[in-house]
Amino acid sequence: MATVLQVPEGIRRVKPYAYADRNDIEELILPEGVQTIGDWAFHGCKNLKKITFPETLTAIGSVAFADCPSLETVTFPSALKTIGSLAFKGCVSLDHIVVPPSVTDLKGWAFEGCSSLSDITFPKGLPSLEYGVLKDCVALKELTLPDGLLTIKERAFDGCTGLTTLVIPDSVDTIRRGAFYGCINLTDVTVPDSLEVQGSNLFEGCKTLSQIHVTRPNPQVAENLFLSVARFEDKLQAAVGLLSDDLDSPVLKDYLRRYTKQALTLFVDIDNDAMLHKILNFDFLQDNIDRVFDEVFTYANKKGNVKAKAVLMNHRHKSGMSADPTDEFEL
């Protein structure tokens, strides 16, 4: 039989650390009238599976339910305004969360390490996704960001390895550095044309990213995004990712003409076959590619990157370049 903790009637605030590290609690019932849950109040309650929140609750404190690995479901009350920093960090059994429209203050790292979280709904008008709010939520494969969102802060999606596509709403005007760090399977991102990037490594760690869509195919918008990225490897990836059939940008093309070899070797290094294939098929780069092709192929061979060599070989055959008789053997 489950051990139920029923907090006494008349309590308006659960004190900090009040029930921390209690392994005997499996179900928690908070009575109507409770307005705030203090910091660390239920931290480390290893067997806590179910919580009943009162409709009077307005604030959940920092680390309040962190490291409760058995917690499976959470239904937030409609009056809730604040979810504190690290509030549900390490709740590895949580798989579904709906943040109610009343929440206007969702603090950093709130759901960090919720490794089973496959679905989360944010309310329309939430102003900011704070630092590391979804860090290491590896089960997230799809995510709809809310209209009205203004800012995505540092490391918000750090380590979200399940994400493959992401559409950033038009309301977002600022993305801070490292927001997508470690999203190693993110292939396709759509960004608004009013975006202001702050920081140098916006797409660092996005090893499979091959397409960056801007909501308007305006060269000036794409160039502003490109110029806001400072780290050399990120600039190469942004330049290739932004260029498409309906975007003609002399700035991006000139940059890739200047650094063709570096771009090709980068995509060999990070095993991004889609991006390697994309750059090899840019008509404006064919002369440059011909000049550096053998060096890049030799580099791929030394790295032992068989997939990259196959992409390079296919390009050689399709483009009619003179074949090197050792290529087939090396594969």
Side-chain angles (χ1 to χ4, degrees), residues 232 236-237 240 256 259-273 275-282 285-297 299-300 303 305 308 311-312 315 321:
F232 179 58
L236 290 174
Q237 193 154 342
V240 177
L256 290 175
Y259 295 112
T260 304
K261 178 182 173 182
Q262 290 90 335
L264 290 168
T265 55
L266 169 65
F267 303 136
V268 170
D269 270 335
I270 64 176
D271 296 322
N272 193 330
D273 301 332
M275 202 71 112
L276 183 61
H277 177 80
K278 185 175 180 179
I279 191 172
L280 286 170
N281 284 280
F282 283 151
L285 282 183
Q286 292 311 305
D287 289 343
N288 293 40
I289 290 169
D290 290 350
R291 284 194 293 271
V292 303
F293 186 91
D294 290 338
E295 288 181 77
V296 175
F297 188 90
Y299 181 76
K303 297 285 290 186
N305 192 330
V311 173
L312 291 163
H315 174 76
M321 295 170 61

Side-chain angles (χ1 to χ4, degrees), residues 153-302:
K153 292 191 177 178
E154 289 90 339
R155 305 289 178 127
F157 302 101
D158 183 357
C160 291
T161 55
L163 281 179
T164 57
T165 62
L166 189 64
V167 176
I168 299 169
D170 288 342
S171 56
V172 173
D173 57 22
T174 303
I175 299 179
R176 301 275 179 85
R177 60 176 300 172
F180 309 107
Y181 186 88
C183 294
I184 59 174
N185 293 305
L186 188 63
T187 61
D188 193 305
V189 176
T190 300
V191 296
D193 55 30
S194 58
L195 183 65
E196 175 188 346
V197 179
Q198 296 185 1
S200 62
N201 60 345
L202 177 62
F203 299 113
E204 184 178 358
C206 301
K207 297 174 65 175
T208 60
L209 188 63
S210 59
Q211 188 66 59
I212 305 168
H213 303 279
V214 182
T215 49
R216 276 189 306 136
N218 183 323
Q220 186 62 54
V221 171
E223 289 161 10
N224 288 341
L225 176 59
F226 163 76
L227 292 171
S228 70
V229 179
R231 188 171 176 266
F232 179 58
E233 291 86 350
D234 295 341
K235 287 183 79 73
L236 290 174
Q237 193 154 342
V240 177
L242 285 162
L243 279 172
S244 59
D245 292 338
D246 54 357
L247 179 69
D248 186 11
S249 166
V251 171
L252 299 184
K253 289 182 176 181
D254 288 347
Y255 190 80
L256 290 175
R257 288 190 185 99
R258 186 176 177 185
Y259 295 112
T260 304
K261 178 182 173 182
Q262 290 90 335
L264 290 168
T265 55
L266 169 65
F267 303 136
V268 170
D269 270 335
I270 64 176
D271 296 322
N272 193 330
D273 301 332
M275 202 71 112
L276 183 61
H277 177 80
K278 185 175 180 179
I279 191 172
L280 286 170
N281 284 280
F282 283 151
D283 291 338
F284 68 92
L285 282 183
Q286 292 311 305
D287 289 343
N288 293 40
I289 290 169
D290 290 350
R291 284 194 293 271
V292 303
F293 186 91
D294 290 338
E295 288 181 77
V296 175
F297 188 90
T298 300
Y299 181 76
N301 193 45
K302 287 181 178 178

